[in-house]
Amino acid sequence: MKKLLVITTLSLAALSAQAKDIVDTAVAAGDFKTLAAALTAAGLVDTLKGTGPFTVFAPTDAAFAKLPKGTVETLLKEPKGALTDILTYHVVSGKVMAADVVTMNGQKVKTVQGAELTVEVSGDKVVLVDAAGNRVNVVKTDVTASNGVIHVIDGVLMPTK
């Protein structure tokens, strides 16, 4: 009887984890504090908690730390401008899983912001090239959420040159 109870509890926990939206999934992971703060400042939390589906290329806290000193603070002061553009540049409409991405070598993908990213695939490595020519590695894929999927990246994508 105890074994059955443990299995049921684990199953409920797994279902509960799957029911989290993109924002809650990222926050629960713990490596996205800067992203969460930026989404809040830009007023995008409700959007990414919406129905979706969305594909989010999520920069970690370490990725934001690679930006020049003071960049994040400056962006947070005026979140409705460049910060919103940068954040929406990390989002693609629809749920694009890693199995789909690996077939997209050389293709351009339109982001919610309106500009495009270029996908480069070499073996099992996926690199996103932004409008500024920056190359960002996808380091973890297929983090599923109730309204889409998150792919973790090691840099921040920039929508303009």
Side-chain angles (χ1 to χ4, degrees), residues 50-103:
T51 308
F54 304 105
T55 298
V56 176
F57 297 106
T60 62
D61 292 335
F64 277 103
K66 291 179 184 178
L67 292 172
K69 186 175 182 170
T71 300
V72 173
E73 294 77 10
T74 300
L75 290 169
L76 289 171
K77 287 179 184 174
E78 294 185 36
K80 297 298 181 184
L83 180 61
T84 298
D85 285 345
I86 291 168
L87 293 172
T88 56
Y89 190 59
H90 288 77
V91 181
V92 175
S93 292
K95 187 174 182 178
V96 184
M97 303 301 286
D100 302 317
V101 174
V102 297
T103 67

Side-chain angles (χ1 to χ4, degrees), residues 67 71 75 81-90 111 113-118 129-135 156-161:
L67 292 172
T71 300
L75 290 169
L83 180 61
T84 298
D85 285 345
I86 291 168
L87 293 172
T88 56
Y89 190 59
H90 288 77
T111 67
Q113 184 267 349
E116 296 177 330
L117 297 169
T118 302
V129 182
D130 66 19
N134 299 312
R135 301 171 63 78
V156 177
L157 300 162
M158 296 295 175
T160 57
K161 294 184 178 186

